[in-house]
Amino acid sequence: MTAPEPASTAAGKPAAKPVVLTCAQPTGKLHLGNYLGAVINWGRMQDDYECHFGIVDWHAITMPYKPADLRANTYNCLAQYMACGLDPAKSHLFVQSHVIGHTELSWILGCICPMGWLERMTQFKDKSKKLESVGSGLFTYPVLMAADILLYNASVVPVGEDQKQHLELARDLAEKFNRTYSDTFVLPQPFIGKSGARIMSLQDPTSKMSKSDPNPAGVVYITDTPDIIRKKFRSAVTDSGSEVRAGDDKPGITNLLSILSGVTGRPVAALEADFDGANYGKFKDAVADAVIATLDPVRLRYESLVNDKAALEAVMKAGAEGAQRNANRTMSKVYRKTGFVERPR
Ligand code: AMP
């Protein structure tokens, strides 16, 4: 599904931009899969949509974590997103716990969410299997995600395949709330970017590039230096044969072609023609060069941002203020419709 066109009025005056929400947990370094599969598309939406980019720290505590890491990662995450092109002058870049409303709306939605809807969530089943003691926050986390989306009345939510079930829950909860308390929420639609390529591990091209890859050489981070990036591509697993072409029988070369296509914007077929007759070594070096050309400016921007805590805090403050204005509009409606007495000011 593609996102709805940004609206314009008959007089040619731009109407309010459609609202987009996208959230990421502050869990460490972004890798090339996050960049090509998600963040690059978010950056492209900023001119046409009113984007809300939330660093969802409430979500990050649903699994065991270290407080010092959470704090450091919240700063790092903001610096990485800004380095990737998310622009606080165009979009609301905020930390979830800085905006009042996420947990409040989550409680209200939780009270109309049947247990059975949550018991069906496959991500809960997968994550809870790995834990000795499962917190109830992990179980109700999809309700908090629904609250994140509905708090801003987002009509468009860029999601990966793994989050589609949670977005459906958000739609179901919005519908149920609207039925119970009268029309309040827009039903959010998934937006799966056109070039949201699935990037695979360089060491095992049959599994997704992921920070939990047991082999660190399989993952390229946006903060890797050119030398490290070149080394990782040189040691990338390739396939039998010597032809540079995509195909089910060539998962390694197919992955490298989709990475090259992602960073250059050229279609895979054109790249196959470019490398007709080239050997794997030459091809891998060319992919490394193209990835370095894309990621090195990102790394340099990140390095200049990450140590300036005061500047990052100023971005967080402005982002939270903008998001809070939008959240307040929704919450005053929600509280009125659900029968709460307005909070004394
Ligand atoms: P995660 O790091 O799993 O929380 O993912 C954050 C975003 O990056 C989500 O939109 C994912 O769908 C996307 N993403 C994560 N890993 C990859 C990958 N290997 N290829 C493409 N997209 C990815």
Side-chain angles (χ1 to χ4, degrees):
M1 160 168 278
T2 51
E5 286 299 310
S8 65
T9 61
K13 227 170 79 191
K17 294 174 179 178
V19 176
V20 172
L21 174 105
T22 186
C23 291
Q25 289 194 23
T27 46
K29 294 191 284 186
L30 293 176
H31 54 68
L32 190 58
N34 299 133
Y35 182 76
L36 293 178
V39 186
I40 205 171
N41 294 321
W42 303 344
R44 289 178 184 140
M45 299 178 88
Q46 295 181 104
D47 289 325
D48 295 329
Y49 299 87
E50 183 180 354
C51 294
H52 296 73
F53 298 118
I55 297 176
V56 286
D57 48 357
W58 293 124
H59 291 269
I61 67 168
T62 56
M63 294 291 278
Y65 77 102
K66 293 198 184 105
D69 290 348
L70 174 63
R71 194 169 299 114
N73 284 338
T74 302
Y75 287 101
N76 291 348
C77 184
L78 179 61
Q80 287 180 75
Y81 283 122
M82 287 171 67
C84 289
L86 304 190
D87 181 353
K90 293 181 177 171
S91 303
H92 306 288
L93 251 77
F94 64 94
V95 176
Q96 183 187 32
S97 64
H98 295 179
V99 181
I100 296 169
H102 289 263
T103 46
E104 293 174 356
L105 184 55
S106 173
W107 178 258
I108 292 171
L109 295 174
C111 291
I112 60 165
C113 182
M115 296 278 285
W117 290 8
L118 297 176
E119 280 158 0
R120 284 203 296 270
M121 296 293 122
T122 54
Q123 205 174 82
F124 172 73
K125 291 182 200 163
D126 293 345
K127 285 189 172 175
S128 57
K129 263 190 238 149
K130 297 176 198 150
L131 298 174
E132 245 171 60
S133 160
V134 182
S136 58
L138 185 64
F139 183 64
T140 55
Y141 144 95
V143 180
L144 179 58
M145 183 173 152
D148 300 336
I149 297 167
L150 302 180
L151 189 61
Y152 302 105
N153 252 315
S155 55
V156 185
V157 185
V159 281
E161 279 297 320
D162 50 340
Q163 291 292 338
K164 267 174 77 178
Q165 199 187 23
H166 291 163
L167 184 65
E168 270 154 31
L169 182 92
R171 284 175 65 90
D172 291 344
L173 283 171
E175 258 174 353
K176 187 161 181 194
F177 187 100
N178 288 350
R179 254 197 332 272
T180 311
Y181 298 108
S182 84
D183 264 358
T184 307
F185 295 119
V186 169
L187 300 191
Q189 288 182 31
F191 169 55
I192 296 169
K194 275 187 227 117
S195 56
R198 196 157 183 257
I199 304 302
M200 312 306 276
S201 161
L202 298 187
Q203 291 297 317
D204 173 10
T206 59
S207 54
K208 215 168 110 165
M209 185 176 285
S210 152
K211 52 188 164 267
S212 50
D213 193 322
N215 188 341
V219 191
V220 174
Y221 291 102
I222 64 164
T223 49
D224 281 347
T225 59
D227 283 352
I228 292 176
I229 294 177
R230 205 175 303 284
K231 231 189 200 157
K232 287 181 178 173
F233 278 100
R234 285 208 172 134
S235 71
V237 167
T238 46
D239 316 292
S240 54
S242 59
E243 238 183 311
V244 176
R245 69 165 169 81
D248 290 346
D249 57 331
K250 285 183 165 274
I253 295 295
T254 303
N255 186 36
L256 294 177
L257 279 166
S258 73
I259 290 173
L260 188 55
S261 171
V263 293
T264 60
R266 282 171 64 70
V268 167
L271 296 171
E272 287 173 331
D274 291 349
F275 290 94
D276 187 26
N279 63 29
Y280 283 169
K282 198 173 156 211
F283 172 60
K284 288 204 271 188
D285 277 346
V287 180
D289 285 341
V291 169
I292 290 166
T294 300
L295 290 190
D296 215 37
V298 173
R299 177 180 65 86
L300 294 171
R301 272 199 301 277
Y302 169 74
E303 284 173 0
S304 74
L305 286 162
V306 74
N307 292 318
D308 192 346
K309 269 195 171 179
L312 291 174
E313 282 164 4
V315 169
M316 288 177 191
K317 183 167 184 282
E321 282 167 1
Q324 189 68 66
R325 271 194 297 278
N326 294 346
N328 286 347
R329 267 199 296 275
T330 305
M331 286 314 288
S332 76
K333 249 197 250 172
V334 166
Y335 277 139
R336 187 162 34 80
K337 293 191 179 201
T338 48
F340 285 86
V341 174
E342 202 178 335
R343 185 186 286 145
R345 290 174 203 274

